[in-house]
Amino acid sequence: MNGIIINDDLHELVSLRTSDPCDNCSLQENCDKTDFPLCTVIAGRHKSDERFINRGKAKEFIEKLNL
C-alpha cells in the first residue's frame, strides 16, 4: 500500500482506469494549488492510471486492518 495521511485522512494511491489521471483523485484540490502533480512528489512517479483515493480516517482504517 502506498499512501499519505493528511488531516487524519488516509489517501491511498490506487490504480484506476479513467480518461484523465487526475479524475476522481482525492488530492486534486491540493494539486490545483501547485505547479506540479502531488502524486509525483509523494509516490516518486506518476502513472496515468494511478490516483489517490480517500479511504477515510486513518485510525479507523488501521483498526479495520487489525481485526
Side-chain angles (χ1 to χ4, degrees):
M1 175 188 306
N2 195 357
I4 185 170
I5 297 173
I6 300 174
N7 297 327
D8 195 35
D9 285 329
L10 173 63
H11 299 266
E12 181 183 6
L13 188 64
V14 297
S15 181
L16 292 174
R17 299 196 188 283
T18 60
S19 57
D20 183 350
C22 296
D23 283 353
N24 304 314
C25 182
S26 62
L27 299 182
Q28 180 62 43
E29 184 177 313
N30 297 308
C31 279
D32 290 342
K33 298 174 186 174
T34 66
D35 294 333
F36 49 85
L38 290 175
C39 53
T40 304
V41 174
I42 296 166
R45 67 196 182 291
H46 183 262
K47 295 181 181 176
S48 62
D49 64 341
E50 290 183 329
R51 68 229 353 104
F52 285 91
I53 301 296
N54 187 329
R55 296 295 191 195
K57 297 297 179 191
K59 183 177 180 179
E60 294 171 10
F61 186 81
I62 292 168
E63 287 173 356
K64 288 179 189 176
L65 289 176
N66 292 327
L67 291 178

Coordinates of all heavy atoms in Angstrom, one line a residue:
M1 N 0.8 -1.2 0.0 CA 0.0 0.0 0.0 C 0.9 1.2 0.0 O 1.9 1.3 0.7 CB -0.9 0.0 1.2 CG -1.7 1.2 1.4 SD -2.6 1.4 2.9 CE -3.6 0.0 3.0
N2 N 0.6 2.2 -0.8 CA 1.3 3.4 -0.9 C 0.3 4.6 -0.7 O -0.8 4.6 -1.3 CB 1.9 3.6 -2.3 CG 3.0 4.7 -2.3 OD1 3.2 5.4 -1.3 ND2 3.6 4.8 -3.4
G3 N 0.5 5.4 0.3 CA -0.5 6.4 0.6 C 0.1 7.5 1.5 O 1.3 7.5 1.8
I4 N -0.7 8.5 1.8 CA -0.3 9.6 2.7 C -1.5 9.9 3.6 O -2.7 9.7 3.2 CB 0.1 10.8 1.8 CG1 0.6 11.9 2.6 CG2 -1.1 11.3 0.9 CD1 1.2 13.1 1.9
I5 N -1.2 10.4 4.8 CA -2.2 10.8 5.7 C -2.2 12.4 5.8 O -1.1 13.0 6.0 CB -1.9 10.2 7.1 CG1 -2.1 8.7 7.0 CG2 -2.9 10.8 8.1 CD1 -1.7 8.0 8.3
I6 N -3.3 13.0 5.5 CA -3.5 14.4 5.6 C -4.7 14.7 6.5 O -5.8 14.2 6.2 CB -3.7 15.1 4.2 CG1 -2.5 14.8 3.3 CG2 -3.9 16.6 4.3 CD1 -2.7 15.2 1.8
N7 N -4.4 15.4 7.6 CA -5.5 15.8 8.5 C -6.3 14.5 8.9 O -7.5 14.5 9.0 CB -6.5 16.8 7.9 CG -5.8 18.1 7.6 OD1 -4.9 18.5 8.3 ND2 -6.2 18.8 6.6
D8 N -5.5 13.5 9.3 CA -6.1 12.2 9.8 C -6.9 11.4 8.7 O -7.5 10.4 9.0 CB -6.9 12.4 11.0 CG -7.1 11.0 11.7 OD1 -6.2 10.2 11.7 OD2 -8.2 10.8 12.3
D9 N -6.8 11.9 7.4 CA -7.5 11.1 6.4 C -6.4 10.3 5.6 O -5.4 10.9 5.2 CB -8.2 12.0 5.4 CG -9.5 12.5 6.0 OD1 -10.1 11.8 6.8 OD2 -9.9 13.7 5.6
L10 N -6.7 9.1 5.4 CA -5.7 8.2 4.6 C -6.1 8.3 3.1 O -7.2 8.0 2.7 CB -5.8 6.8 5.0 CG -5.0 5.8 4.2 CD1 -3.5 6.1 4.3 CD2 -5.3 4.4 4.6
H11 N -5.1 8.8 2.3 CA -5.3 8.8 0.9 C -4.4 7.8 0.3 O -3.1 7.9 0.3 CB -4.9 10.2 0.3 CG -5.7 11.3 0.9 ND1 -6.8 11.8 0.3 CD2 -5.6 12.0 2.1 CE1 -7.4 12.8 1.0 NE2 -6.6 12.9 2.1
E12 N -5.0 6.7 -0.3 CA -4.2 5.6 -0.8 C -4.0 5.8 -2.3 O -4.9 6.1 -3.0 CB -5.0 4.3 -0.6 CG -4.2 3.1 -1.1 CD -5.0 1.8 -0.9 OE1 -6.2 1.8 -0.4 OE2 -4.4 0.7 -1.2
L13 N -2.8 5.5 -2.8 CA -2.5 5.5 -4.2 C -3.0 4.2 -4.9 O -2.5 3.2 -4.5 CB -1.0 5.8 -4.5 CG -0.6 6.0 -5.9 CD1 -1.2 7.3 -6.4 CD2 0.9 6.1 -6.0
V14 N -3.9 4.3 -5.7 CA -4.5 3.1 -6.4 C -4.5 3.2 -7.9 O -4.5 4.3 -8.4 CB -5.9 2.8 -5.8 CG1 -5.9 2.5 -4.3 CG2 -6.9 3.9 -6.1
S15 N -4.7 2.1 -8.5 CA -4.8 2.1 -10.0 C -6.2 2.1 -10.4 O -7.0 1.2 -10.0 CB -4.1 0.8 -10.5 OG -4.1 0.8 -11.9
L16 N -6.6 3.1 -11.1 CA -8.0 3.2 -11.7 C -7.9 3.6 -13.1 O -7.1 4.5 -13.4 CB -8.8 4.3 -10.9 CG -9.1 4.0 -9.5 CD1 -9.8 5.3 -8.9 CD2 -10.1 2.9 -9.4
R17 N -8.6 3.0 -13.9 CA -8.6 3.4 -15.4 C -9.7 4.3 -15.7 O -10.9 3.9 -15.8 CB -8.6 2.1 -16.2 CG -7.5 1.2 -15.9 CD -7.3 0.2 -17.0 NE -6.3 -0.8 -16.6 CZ -5.0 -0.6 -16.6 NH1 -4.5 0.6 -17.0 NH2 -4.1 -1.5 -16.3
T18 N -9.4 5.6 -15.8 CA -10.4 6.6 -16.3 C -9.7 7.5 -17.3 O -8.5 7.3 -17.5 CB -10.9 7.5 -15.1 OG1 -9.8 8.2 -14.5 CG2 -11.6 6.7 -14.1
S19 N -10.4 8.4 -17.9 CA -9.8 9.1 -19.0 C -8.7 10.1 -18.6 O -7.6 10.1 -19.2 CB -10.9 10.0 -19.7 OG -11.5 10.8 -18.7
D20 N -8.8 10.8 -17.5 CA -7.8 11.7 -17.1 C -7.2 11.2 -15.8 O -7.9 10.8 -14.8 CB -8.4 13.1 -16.8 CG -7.4 14.2 -16.4 OD1 -6.3 13.8 -16.1 OD2 -7.8 15.3 -16.4
P21 N -5.8 11.2 -15.6 CA -5.2 10.7 -14.4 C -5.6 11.4 -13.1 O -5.5 10.9 -12.1 CB -3.7 10.8 -14.7 CG -3.6 11.7 -15.8 CD -4.9 11.6 -16.6
C22 N -6.1 12.6 -13.3 CA -6.5 13.4 -12.1 C -8.0 13.3 -11.8 O -8.4 13.7 -10.7 CB -6.1 14.9 -12.3 SG -4.3 15.1 -12.5
D23 N -8.8 12.7 -12.7 CA -10.2 12.4 -12.4 C -10.3 11.6 -11.1 O -9.6 10.6 -10.9 CB -10.9 11.7 -13.5 CG -11.2 12.6 -14.7 OD1 -11.0 13.8 -14.6 OD2 -11.6 12.1 -15.7
N24 N -11.2 12.0 -10.2 CA -11.5 11.2 -9.0 C -10.4 11.2 -8.0 O -10.4 10.3 -7.1 CB -12.0 9.8 -9.3 CG -13.2 9.9 -10.3 OD1 -14.1 10.6 -10.0 ND2 -13.2 9.0 -11.3
C25 N -9.3 11.9 -8.2 CA -8.2 11.9 -7.2 C -8.6 12.8 -6.0 O -9.0 13.9 -6.2 CB -6.9 12.5 -7.9 SG -5.5 12.4 -6.8
S26 N -8.4 12.2 -4.8 CA -8.8 12.9 -3.6 C -7.8 14.1 -3.3 O -8.1 14.9 -2.4 CB -8.8 12.0 -2.4 OG -7.6 11.4 -2.2
L27 N -6.7 14.2 -4.0 CA -5.8 15.3 -3.8 C -5.9 16.4 -4.8 O -5.1 17.3 -4.8 CB -4.3 14.8 -3.7 CG -4.0 13.8 -2.6 CD1 -2.5 13.4 -2.7 CD2 -4.4 14.3 -1.3
Q28 N -6.8 16.2 -5.7 CA -7.0 17.2 -6.8 C -7.0 18.6 -6.4 O -6.4 19.5 -6.9 CB -8.2 16.9 -7.7 CG -8.5 17.8 -8.8 CD -7.3 17.7 -9.9 OE1 -6.9 16.7 -10.2 NE2 -6.9 18.9 -10.3
E29 N -7.8 18.9 -5.3 CA -7.9 20.3 -4.8 C -6.6 20.8 -4.4 O -6.2 22.0 -4.6 CB -8.9 20.3 -3.6 CG -9.2 21.7 -3.1 CD -10.2 21.7 -2.0 OE1 -11.2 21.0 -2.1 OE2 -9.9 22.3 -1.0
N30 N -5.7 20.0 -3.8 CA -4.4 20.4 -3.4 C -3.5 20.6 -4.6 O -2.6 21.5 -4.6 CB -3.8 19.4 -2.4 CG -4.6 19.3 -1.1 OD1 -4.9 20.3 -0.5 ND2 -5.0 18.1 -0.7
C31 N -3.6 19.7 -5.6 CA -2.8 19.9 -6.8 C -3.1 21.2 -7.5 O -2.2 21.8 -8.1 CB -3.0 18.7 -7.7 SG -2.1 17.2 -7.3
D32 N -4.3 21.6 -7.5 CA -4.7 22.8 -8.1 C -4.0 24.0 -7.6 O -3.9 25.0 -8.2 CB -6.2 23.0 -8.1 CG -7.0 22.0 -8.9 OD1 -6.4 21.4 -9.8 OD2 -8.2 21.9 -8.7
K33 N -3.4 23.9 -6.4 CA -2.7 25.0 -5.7 C -1.2 24.9 -6.0 O -0.5 25.8 -5.5 CB -3.0 24.9 -4.2 CG -4.4 25.1 -3.8 CD -4.6 24.9 -2.3 CE -6.1 24.9 -2.0 NZ -6.3 24.6 -0.5
T34 N -0.8 23.9 -6.7 CA 0.7 23.8 -7.0 C 0.9 23.8 -8.5 O 0.0 23.7 -9.3 CB 1.2 22.5 -6.4 OG1 0.6 21.4 -7.1 CG2 1.0 22.4 -4.9
D35 N 2.2 23.8 -8.9 CA 2.5 23.8 -10.3 C 2.9 22.4 -10.8 O 3.4 22.2 -11.9 CB 3.7 24.7 -10.6 CG 3.4 26.2 -10.3 OD1 2.2 26.5 -10.5 OD2 4.3 27.0 -10.0
F36 N 2.7 21.4 -9.9 CA 3.1 20.0 -10.3 C 2.1 19.0 -9.6 O 1.5 19.4 -8.7 CB 4.5 19.8 -9.8 CG 4.7 20.2 -8.3 CD1 4.4 19.3 -7.3 CD2 5.2 21.4 -8.0 CE1 4.5 19.7 -6.0 CE2 5.3 21.8 -6.7 CZ 5.0 20.9 -5.7
P37 N 2.0 17.9 -10.2 CA 1.1 16.8 -9.6 C 1.7 16.3 -8.3 O 2.9 15.9 -8.2 CB 1.1 15.7 -10.6 CG 1.8 16.2 -11.8 CD 2.6 17.4 -11.5
L38 N 1.0 16.3 -7.2 CA 1.5 15.9 -5.9 C 1.8 14.4 -5.9 O 2.7 14.0 -5.2 CB 0.4 16.1 -4.8 CG 0.2 17.6 -4.5 CD1 -0.9 17.8 -3.5 CD2 1.5 18.2 -3.9
C39 N 1.1 13.6 -6.8 CA 1.4 12.2 -6.8 C 2.9 12.0 -7.3 O 3.5 11.0 -6.8 CB 0.5 11.4 -7.7 SG 0.3 12.1 -9.3
T40 N 3.4 12.8 -8.1 CA 4.8 12.7 -8.5 C 5.8 12.9 -7.3 O 6.7 12.2 -7.1 CB 5.2 13.8 -9.6 OG1 4.2 13.6 -10.6 CG2 6.6 13.7 -10.1
V41 N 5.4 13.8 -6.4 CA 6.3 14.1 -5.2 C 6.1 13.0 -4.2 O 7.0 12.5 -3.6 CB 5.9 15.5 -4.6 CG1 6.7 15.7 -3.3 CG2 6.2 16.6 -5.6
I42 N 4.8 12.6 -3.9 CA 4.5 11.7 -2.9 C 4.9 10.3 -3.2 O 5.6 9.6 -2.5 CB 3.0 11.7 -2.5 CG1 2.6 13.1 -2.0 CG2 2.6 10.6 -1.6 CD1 1.2 13.4 -1.9
A43 N 4.6 9.8 -4.4 CA 4.8 8.5 -4.8 C 6.1 8.3 -5.6 O 6.6 7.2 -5.9 CB 3.7 7.9 -5.7
G44 N 6.8 9.4 -6.0 CA 8.0 9.4 -6.7 C 7.8 9.1 -8.2 O 8.8 8.8 -8.9
R45 N 6.6 9.0 -8.6 CA 6.3 8.8 -10.0 C 4.9 9.2 -10.3 O 4.1 9.4 -9.4 CB 6.5 7.3 -10.3 CG 5.4 6.4 -9.6 CD 5.8 5.0 -9.6 NE 4.8 4.1 -9.0 CZ 4.5 4.1 -7.8 NH1 5.1 4.9 -6.9 NH2 3.6 3.3 -7.3
H46 N 4.5 9.2 -11.6 CA 3.2 9.5 -12.0 C 2.8 8.6 -13.1 O 3.3 8.7 -14.2 CB 3.0 11.0 -12.4 CG 1.5 11.3 -12.7 ND1 1.1 11.3 -14.0 CD2 0.5 11.5 -11.9 CE1 -0.2 11.6 -14.0 NE2 -0.6 11.7 -12.7
K47 N 1.9 7.7 -12.9 CA 1.4 6.8 -13.9 C 0.0 7.2 -14.3 O -0.8 7.6 -13.4 CB 1.4 5.3 -13.4 CG 2.8 4.8 -13.1 CD 2.7 3.4 -12.7 CE 4.1 2.8 -12.4 NZ 4.0 1.5 -11.9
S48 N -0.4 7.1 -15.5 CA -1.6 7.7 -16.0 C -2.8 6.9 -15.3 O -3.9 7.5 -15.3 CB -1.7 7.6 -17.5 OG -1.6 6.2 -17.9
D49 N -2.6 5.7 -14.8 CA -3.8 5.0 -14.2 C -3.8 5.0 -12.7 O -4.5 4.3 -12.1 CB -3.8 3.6 -14.7 CG -2.7 2.7 -14.3 OD1 -1.6 3.3 -13.9 OD2 -2.8 1.5 -14.3
E50 N -2.9 5.9 -12.1 CA -2.9 5.9 -10.6 C -3.4 7.3 -10.1 O -3.2 8.3 -10.7 CB -1.5 5.7 -10.1 CG -1.0 4.3 -10.3 CD 0.4 4.2 -9.7 OE1 1.2 5.1 -9.7 OE2 0.7 3.1 -9.2
R51 N -4.2 7.2 -9.0 CA -4.6 8.4 -8.4 C -4.9 8.1 -6.9 O -4.9 6.9 -6.5 CB -5.8 9.0 -9.0 CG -7.1 8.2 -8.9 CD -7.9 8.0 -10.1 NE -7.6 8.6 -11.3 CZ -7.0 8.0 -12.4 NH1 -6.6 6.8 -12.3 NH2 -6.8 8.6 -13.5
F52 N -5.0 9.1 -6.1 CA -5.2 8.9 -4.7 C -6.7 8.9 -4.4 O -7.5 9.6 -5.0 CB -4.6 10.1 -3.9 CG -3.1 10.0 -3.7 CD1 -2.3 10.6 -4.7 CD2 -2.6 9.2 -2.7 CE1 -0.9 10.4 -4.6 CE2 -1.2 9.1 -2.6 CZ -0.4 9.7 -3.5
I53 N -7.1 7.9 -3.5 CA -8.5 7.8 -3.1 C -8.5 7.9 -1.6 O -7.8 7.3 -0.9 CB -9.0 6.3 -3.5 CG1 -8.9 6.1 -5.0 CG2 -10.4 6.1 -3.0 CD1 -9.7 7.0 -5.8
N54 N -9.5 8.8 -1.1 CA -9.7 9.0 0.3 C -10.3 7.7 0.9 O -11.4 7.4 0.6 CB -10.5 10.2 0.6 CG -10.5 10.6 2.0 OD1 -10.5 9.7 2.9 ND2 -10.6 11.9 2.3
R55 N -9.6 7.1 1.8 CA -10.1 5.9 2.5 C -10.7 6.2 3.8 O -11.1 5.3 4.6 CB -9.0 4.9 2.7 CG -8.4 4.4 1.4 CD -9.4 3.6 0.6 NE -8.8 2.9 -0.5 CZ -9.4 2.3 -1.5 NH1 -10.7 2.4 -1.5 NH2 -8.8 1.7 -2.4
G56 N -10.8 7.5 4.2 CA -11.4 7.8 5.5 C -10.4 8.1 6.5 O -9.2 8.2 6.2
K57 N -10.8 8.1 7.8 CA -9.9 8.4 8.9 C -8.9 7.3 9.0 O -9.2 6.1 9.0 CB -10.7 8.5 10.2 CG -11.7 9.7 10.2 CD -10.9 11.0 10.1 CE -11.8 12.2 10.0 NZ -11.1 13.4 9.6
A58 N -7.6 7.7 9.1 CA -6.5 6.7 9.2 C -6.7 5.8 10.3 O -6.5 4.6 10.2 CB -5.2 7.5 9.3
K59 N -7.0 6.3 11.5 CA -7.1 5.4 12.7 C -8.2 4.3 12.5 O -7.9 3.2 12.8 CB -7.4 6.2 13.9 CG -7.5 5.5 15.2 CD -7.7 6.3 16.4 CE -7.8 5.5 17.7 NZ -8.0 6.3 18.8
E60 N -9.3 4.7 11.9 CA -10.4 3.7 11.7 C -10.0 2.7 10.6 O -10.3 1.5 10.8 CB -11.7 4.4 11.2 CG -12.3 5.3 12.3 CD -13.4 6.2 11.8 OE1 -13.8 6.0 10.7 OE2 -13.8 7.1 12.6
F61 N -9.2 3.1 9.6 CA -8.8 2.2 8.6 C -7.8 1.2 9.1 O -7.8 0.0 8.9 CB -8.1 3.0 7.4 CG -7.7 2.2 6.2 CD1 -8.7 1.8 5.3 CD2 -6.4 1.8 6.1 CE1 -8.3 1.0 4.2 CE2 -6.1 1.0 5.0 CZ -7.0 0.6 4.0
I62 N -6.9 1.7 10.0 CA -5.9 0.8 10.6 C -6.5 -0.2 11.5 O -6.2 -1.4 11.6 CB -4.8 1.6 11.3 CG1 -4.0 2.4 10.3 CG2 -3.9 0.8 12.2 CD1 -3.1 3.5 10.9
E63 N -7.5 0.2 12.3 CA -8.3 -0.7 13.2 C -8.9 -1.8 12.4 O -8.9 -2.9 12.8 CB -9.3 0.1 14.0 CG -8.7 1.0 15.1 CD -9.7 1.9 15.8 OE1 -10.8 1.9 15.4 OE2 -9.2 2.5 16.7
K64 N -9.5 -1.5 11.2 CA -10.1 -2.5 10.4 C -9.1 -3.5 9.9 O -9.4 -4.7 9.8 CB -10.8 -1.8 9.2 CG -12.1 -1.1 9.5 CD -12.7 -0.5 8.3 CE -13.8 0.5 8.7 NZ -14.4 1.2 7.5
L65 N -7.9 -3.1 9.6 CA -6.9 -4.0 9.1 C -6.4 -4.9 10.2 O -6.0 -6.1 9.9 CB -5.6 -3.2 8.6 CG -5.8 -2.4 7.3 CD1 -4.5 -1.6 7.1 CD2 -6.1 -3.3 6.2
N66 N -6.5 -4.5 11.5 CA -6.1 -5.3 12.6 C -7.1 -6.3 13.1 O -6.8 -7.0 14.1 CB -5.6 -4.4 13.7 CG -4.3 -3.7 13.3 OD1 -3.5 -4.2 12.6 ND2 -4.1 -2.5 13.8
L67 N -8.3 -6.3 12.5 CA -9.4 -7.2 13.0 C -9.1 -8.6 12.8 O -8.5 -9.2 12.0 CB -10.7 -6.8 12.4 CG -11.3 -5.5 12.9 CD1 -12.6 -5.2 12.2 CD2 -11.5 -5.5 14.4

